[in-house]
Structures are given as structure tokens and as C-alpha cells.
Amino acid sequence: MMKIDQLLTNPSAFLETKRAASPAQASETSFSTTLKEALQSANETIVNSEKMSEKIATGEIKNIHDVTIAAQKAQIALQLTTQVRDKVVESYQEIMRMQV
């Protein structure tokens, strides 16, 4: 870990750190790929919650806490997905309103 004092006395150390984290060296994933993976993860969370709810109803699962936690995770995933969708639609509408 580098201290702030080292950055002030040695500015080249800061530049070297910035170069190592350049976007060209990072793994390149597109926005659509990231969004697709996030949606798949949210869907898996919701499906898992539904399966656990079915299992608690049939008596396969005895621990209600696990089912409650899975349901809360699914609810949060759905809320996040909805918020991202709303932001994407809002951004699209803002772009369409721009004068060219």
C-alpha cells in the first residue's frame, strides 16, 4: 500500500500506478455483455427464490430463514433491474430530445 506522502515526493509512482490500471490492459467487456450477465444473474436469483418457496411449501426445506433471505435477494435484484431499465429508458429519451 502506498502512502500519500510517497505520492507527493515521488509523482512518477503515481503515474506508474495509473498506467497499470489503464483501460487498454483491463479486460474488455461491452456494456451489453455486462448488462446481459446482470440480467441473467437477477433472473437466476428470482428463480432460486421461487424454487425455495415451493420447497418450503412441500416441506423439503425446514429453515424459513433461508427462504426469507432468498426472497429478499430476489426482491432487491428485481428492484435493481427495474431501476437500471428506468435509467436506460430515461437516457434514451434524453438522447432523442437532443438537437443535432
Side-chain angles (χ1 to χ4, degrees):
M1 172 118 344
M2 185 177 293
K3 295 183 179 182
I4 294 176
D5 295 339
Q6 291 173 329
L7 289 175
L8 297 175
T9 59
N10 188 5
S12 64
F14 179 70
L15 294 174
E16 290 171 11
T17 305
K18 293 295 268 185
R19 279 191 210 118
S22 69
Q25 293 176 353
S27 64
E28 295 183 22
T29 56
S30 66
F31 175 74
S32 63
T33 303
T34 304
L35 187 60
K36 184 179 185 182
E37 290 172 358
L39 288 173
Q40 286 174 344
S41 175
N43 186 44
E44 289 172 7
T45 303
I46 293 168
V47 168
N48 183 38
S49 174
E50 290 174 355
K51 286 180 182 178
M52 289 185 80
S53 295
E54 289 174 7
K55 287 181 180 181
I56 194 102
T58 60
E60 292 179 49
I61 296 178
K62 301 292 183 200
N63 192 352
I64 188 87
H65 296 95
D66 293 336
V67 178
T68 306
I69 291 170
Q72 287 297 316
K73 284 181 180 181
Q75 182 181 8
I76 291 170
L78 184 60
Q79 288 174 347
L80 177 64
T81 303
T82 303
Q83 290 294 322
V84 170
R85 182 211 55 199
D86 291 346
K87 286 294 182 183
V88 168
V89 169
E90 182 182 329
S91 299
Y92 174 77
Q93 289 172 343
E94 185 67 29
I95 288 171
M96 295 312 289
R97 283 191 292 260
M98 284 183 181
Q99 297 287 329
V100 180

